[in-house]
């Protein structure tokens, strides 16, 4: 099958009804898509993998099932192994090698996009004027967006080979055009 963003969205929205999860998928998609363009990679494929990385979370909300039990569903729907392997690689507990730029990018964007989204929700102008400095400050407050694994944010940027401040700036820039879809003020 040909992997398209449209097809990925269709798969995602068939398995996921929660607005929060759909917004998370859109945020990670925007960030990964931004990097695909920067690296001159296949943006459609990268966006599709990002959209689908948590597609089964609503039906498999625990780590004994997510994302591994989602893989056969994607396989049944005809997605290629490259995409399925990428989806699986975002999960730390599966300990799969992140041996492609896409896998590194997805891992680096997953937790950070969620965190930046959370930062924007408590600011009067959303992410419009959000700077790396205030994101880093919030990263050091364990009670803020407590579900975001800080170690994965730091390691993600490191594995991608991008300075954390630059990575934050890139992801903020990537999210700005879809701020209103994410429920952020713009
Ligand atoms: Fe996940
Ligand atoms: Fe995620």
């Amino acid at each position: 099958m040909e992997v398209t963003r449209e097809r990925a969205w269709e798969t995602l929205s068939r398995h996921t009804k929660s607005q929060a999860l759909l917004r998370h998928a859109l945020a990670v998609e925007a960030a990964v898509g931004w990097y695909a363009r920067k690296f001159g990679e296949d943006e459609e494929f990268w966006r599709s993998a990002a959209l689908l990385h948590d597609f089964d979370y609503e039906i498999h909300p625990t780590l004994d099932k997510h994302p591994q039990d989602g893989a056969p569903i994607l396989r049944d729907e005809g997605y290629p192994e490259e995409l399925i392997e990428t989806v699986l690689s975002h999960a730390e507990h599966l300990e799969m090698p992140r041996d492609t730029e896409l896998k590194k990018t997805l891992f680096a964007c997953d937790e950070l996009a969620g965190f930046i989204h959370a930062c924007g929700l408590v600011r009067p102008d959303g992410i419009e004027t959000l700077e790396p400095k205030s994101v880093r400050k919030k990263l050091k407050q364990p009670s803020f967006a407590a579900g975001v694994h800080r170690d994965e944010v730091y390691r993600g940027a490191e594995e991608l080979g991008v300075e954390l401040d630059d990575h934050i700036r890139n992801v903020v820039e990537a999210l700005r055009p879809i701020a209103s879809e994410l429920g952020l003020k713009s």
Side-chain angles (χ1 to χ4, degrees), residues 24 28 53-54 90 110-111:
H24 172 64
V28 177
H53 84 280
D54 280 339
H90 87 272
D110 186 9
E111 296 292 281

Side-chain angles (χ1 to χ4, degrees), residues 103-133:
K103 290 178 188 173
K104 288 177 194 168
T105 303
L106 175 61
F107 182 70
C109 291
D110 186 9
E111 296 292 281
L112 186 62
F115 193 78
I116 286 172
H117 192 184
C119 290
L121 288 172
V122 299
R123 291 167 63 88
D125 70 347
I127 55 172
E128 211 35 54
T129 59
L130 182 61
E131 296 281 348
K133 198 177 151 203

